[in-house]
C-alpha cells in the first residue's frame, strides 16, 4: 500500500500529469481536497471509496490512510496545484513516517505557472529578472525571520504572492518603496479554471481594480517588470555564437 500525494494542477483537468491521472484512475481509495480540486480531475476513476477531505481534520485523514493500509489499498491523495507548495502535506508525511506507511509525491503544475501562461509572459527575462520568489502574505501563518514581504521586496525579483488578495493594500505598501508606483501587477483568479479572471494594472491602481472586480480569495498576485517588459535582450540560448 502506498499513499500518493498527487498534484492536480491549477484547475484545468488537462493540466494534471499523465502519472497523476493514471493513479487517480487506478487507486481503490481517493481522498481529495474539496472545492480546490475540480470534479473533472477524478473522471474515469474506479475507486471503491472517494472522500472529500475539506471538512476533515488531520486525525481523521490519517485514520483513513491507516484503514487503507490495513486493507492493502493504495490511496490517491489529491491536492490542488503542486502539493509541495502550500499543500499542507508536511504534517501528513510526518504522521506517515511515524506510522511507517510508504508514500510518494507526484508533482503538479503550479498556480504561478498557470498564471504566467494565461498572461502570455515569461517570468525570467535577461536583464529584467532572473529570480522568481514564491511566497505568501503573513496572516494566520507567521513568517520566519527575513521572509516578511517587505524583506523579500528588497530583491526586486519577480514575485508570486499566494493567499494575499484580501490584503492587497498592505501588500502594495510593502512593495512600493522597492518596485515603484509604475511596476506592473497582475492578479489572476482561479488560473486555468472556466471562471478564470485576470486583473492587470500597476502598484498605483491595482488595489482599486481588484476591489472593483470583487476578488477576495483563490487569486495569485504577480509583481515585476517582466510583466510589461519589451526592450529586453535576447537570450543567449538561441544566439548564433
Amino acid at each position: 500500500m502506498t499513499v500518493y500525494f498527487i498534484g492536480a494542477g491549477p484547475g484545468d483537468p488537462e493540466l494534471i500529469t499523465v502519472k497523476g491521472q493514471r493513479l487517480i484512475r487506478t487507486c481503490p481509495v481517493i481522498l481529495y481536497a474539496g472545492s480546490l480540486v475540480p470534479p473533472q480531475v477524478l473522471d474515469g476513476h474506479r475507486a471503491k471509496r472517494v472522500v472529500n477531505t475539506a471538512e476533515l481534520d488531520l486525525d481523521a485523514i490519517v485514520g483513513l490512510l491507516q484503514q487503507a493500509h490495513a486493507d492493502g489499498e493504495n490511496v490517491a491523495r489529491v491536492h490542488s496545484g503542486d502539493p509541495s507548495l502550500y499543500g499542507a502535506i508536511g504534517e501528513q508525511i510526518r504522521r506517515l513516517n511515524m506510522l511507517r506507511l510508504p508514500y510518494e509525491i507526484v508533482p503538479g503544475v503550479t498556480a504561478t505557472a498557470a498564471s504566467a501562461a494565461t498572461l502570455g509572459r515569461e517570468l525570467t527575462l535577461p536583464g529584467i529578472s532572473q529570480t522568481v520568489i514564491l511566497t505568501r502574505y503573513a496572516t494566520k501563518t507567521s513568517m520566519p525571520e527575513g521572509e516578511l514581504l517587505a524583506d523579500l521586496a528588497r530583491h526586486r525579483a519577480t514575485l508570486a504572492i499566494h493567499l494575499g488578495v484580501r490584503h492587497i493594500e498592505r501588500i502594495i505598501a510593502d512593495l512600493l518603496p522597492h518596485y515603484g508606483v509604475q511596476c506592473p501587477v497582475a492578479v489572476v483568479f482561479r488560473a486555468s479554471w472556466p471562471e478564470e479572471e485576470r486583473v492587470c494594472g500597476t502598484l498605483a491602481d491595482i488595489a482599486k481594480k481588484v476591489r472593483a472586480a470583487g476578488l477576495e480569495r483563490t487569486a495569485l498576485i504577480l509583481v515585476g517588470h517582466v510583466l510589461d517588459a519589451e526592450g529586453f535582450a535576447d537570450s543567449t540560448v538561441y544566439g548564433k555564437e
Side-chain angles (χ1 to χ4, degrees):
M1 170 270 180
T2 300
V3 177
Y4 295 97
F5 291 100
I6 299 170
D12 182 344
E14 292 189 332
L15 290 179
I16 191 171
T17 64
V18 173
K19 183 173 184 177
Q21 185 181 69
R22 173 178 60 79
L23 289 168
I24 287 172
R25 291 180 175 179
T26 57
C27 285
V29 178
I30 296 174
L31 308 182
Y32 72 102
S35 62
L36 298 176
V37 175
Q40 294 85 350
V41 169
L42 306 184
D43 284 354
H45 80 80
R46 299 189 297 274
K48 296 186 295 183
R49 281 183 290 167
V50 180
V51 181
N52 179 351
T53 60
E55 303 300 323
L56 301 182
D57 62 20
L58 180 59
D59 287 339
I61 292 170
V62 173
L64 292 172
L65 299 178
Q66 286 182 285
Q67 183 60 56
H69 178 73
D71 296 338
E73 296 174 328
N74 290 333
V75 178
R77 178 69 175 110
V78 187
H79 286 258
S80 62
D82 183 290
S84 298
L85 288 172
Y86 307 112
I89 65 171
E91 55 263 45
Q92 296 175 69
I93 289 172
R94 181 165 56 195
R95 292 287 193 93
L96 293 178
N97 286 334
M98 292 171 61
L99 296 166
R100 296 185 179 181
L101 302 184
Y103 66 88
E104 181 180 327
I105 299 172
V106 181
V109 176
T110 66
T112 299
S115 295
T118 193
L119 292 168
R121 288 290 176 178
E122 181 178 349
L123 300 182
T124 52
L125 293 174
I128 307 296
S129 176
Q130 291 291 285
T131 302
V132 181
I133 298 175
L134 280 68
T135 188
R136 62 169 296 169
Y137 190 73
T139 51
K140 293 180 181 179
T141 300
S142 61
M143 299 295 282
E145 184 178 354
E147 290 191 21
L148 290 174
L149 189 57
D151 297 321
L152 299 178
R154 294 190 178 97
H155 296 284
R156 291 183 290 183
T158 304
L159 286 176
I161 306 170
H162 293 254
L163 308 170
V165 71
R166 287 184 179 176
H167 310 282
I168 188 73
E169 290 86 1
R170 297 181 187 176
I171 288 172
I172 291 170
D174 286 340
L175 300 182
L176 275 173
H178 307 284
Y179 288 84
V181 293
Q182 295 307 312
C183 183
V185 183
V187 177
V188 184
F189 170 78
R190 285 189 177 271
S192 84
W193 289 65
E195 60 268 36
E196 174 188 283
E197 189 169 349
R198 293 171 288 170
V199 177
C200 298
T202 66
L203 287 176
D205 61 16
I206 193 66
K208 183 181 295 184
K209 291 182 176 182
V210 165
R211 296 305 177 210
L215 304 185
E216 295 185 348
R217 60 189 299 273
T218 325
L220 182 79
I221 304 169
L222 284 175
V223 182
H225 293 284
V226 294
L227 297 177
D228 69 353
E230 295 296 340
F232 53 89
D234 290 343
S235 170
T236 59
V237 173
Y238 303 112
K240 290 182 180 180
E241 65 277 12

